[in-house]
Amino acid sequence: QFFGMFGLYGDDKSNISNYKYTDLVEICPLCREDLLYLPRKVATKMGNIGRVVLVKSISNLIHFVDPLTGQTANMSPEAFWREPLRPVVTAARSRLTRFVVLGRD
């Protein structure tokens, strides 16, 4: 991953320089109400929560709830990026709408 600053141009006489900054951000691919099937090792680390969980909310932690027992658990961002989880069913797909662009102004 590269974070950097690129010099666009500089004027030596007036001592003015313009720079363009770049940032790289990775966003958690999980959404609220996504259904996950946790690996056994991850479920054990999170306090023996059930392996089928729902994402309750995402803030500075990812909050899970077991829909069968109501047990809750949290996962830190560091733990998530060490072992990324992918949803079995995502709630975001059901809210997506397909649009066709016929023209532009």
Side-chain angles (χ1 to χ4, degrees):
Q1 296 178 358
F2 178 75
F3 302 94
M5 176 176 70
F6 299 100
L8 292 178
Y9 69 88
D11 184 3
D12 293 334
K13 291 183 180 180
S14 62
N15 202 19
I16 295 175
S17 297
N18 286 338
Y19 292 96
K20 180 179 182 179
Y21 295 92
T22 60
D23 293 321
L24 176 66
V25 178
E26 284 190 85
I27 299 174
C28 177
L30 300 177
C31 295
R32 197 173 134 256
E33 298 177 2
D34 280 354
L35 180 69
L36 299 172
Y37 185 73
L38 299 175
R40 186 179 311 274
K41 184 175 145 184
V42 173
T44 304
K45 283 183 184 177
M46 291 175 28
N48 287 326
I49 192 168
R51 294 180 68 191
V52 177
V53 295
L54 288 170
V55 177
K56 183 177 177 184
S57 65
I58 299 176
S59 58
N60 60 338
L61 295 172
I62 303 170
H63 304 276
F64 299 103
V65 63
D66 183 341
L68 302 175
T69 64
Q71 181 182 359
T72 61
N74 301 322
M75 180 181 271
S76 69
E78 294 80 17
F80 175 80
W81 290 114
R82 234 179 287 122
E83 297 182 46
L85 306 169
R86 299 290 175 233
V88 175
V89 177
T90 181
R93 275 197 200 118
S94 64
R95 291 187 286 234
L96 296 179
T97 304
R98 174 167 275 192
F99 291 96
V100 177
V101 178
L102 300 175
R104 65 178 206 168
D105 295 331

